[in-house]
Amino acid sequence: MAVHDLDMTRFLVGEDPIDILSVGSCHIDKSIEVLDGSEAFDTAACILRYPNGVQAMVDVCRQSSYGYDQRAEVLGTK
């Protein structure tokens, strides 16, 4: 569900993450709860840490009332 979003963070940072923390749940489509592993989630959040100290957060949902929306916010001092 989030593979393209995670890949976008790799592109923006220019490195592969060294740590990933992710949690998922099923809040919208209860019919998928019977699926295996992460396929049973319709909502997920990920925090990534990169070797250069950059941290990234990715939130995804299979069903969005406002349509497909992908954006990035970059914060820093440089």
Side-chain angles (χ1 to χ4, degrees), residues 6-71:
L6 297 171
D7 192 45
M8 181 178 59
T9 67
R10 294 176 60 237
F11 172 78
L12 290 172
V13 176
E15 296 186 284
D16 290 332
I18 55 173
D19 289 312
I20 301 174
L21 170 67
S22 60
V23 293
S25 55
C26 186
H27 292 290
I28 300 167
D29 184 2
K30 297 297 184 180
S31 68
I32 66 171
E33 287 183 310
V34 298
L35 299 175
D36 292 330
S38 62
E39 293 299 316
F41 302 146
D42 57 26
T43 306
C46 305
I47 300 173
L48 299 91
R49 187 167 60 98
Y50 289 87
N52 60 3
V54 169
Q55 296 179 2
M57 297 177 62
V58 175
D59 299 309
V60 292
C61 183
R62 287 184 193 227
Q63 294 183 358
S64 178
S65 61
Y66 49 82
Y68 181 75
D69 181 34
Q70 189 173 23
R71 68 179 83 187

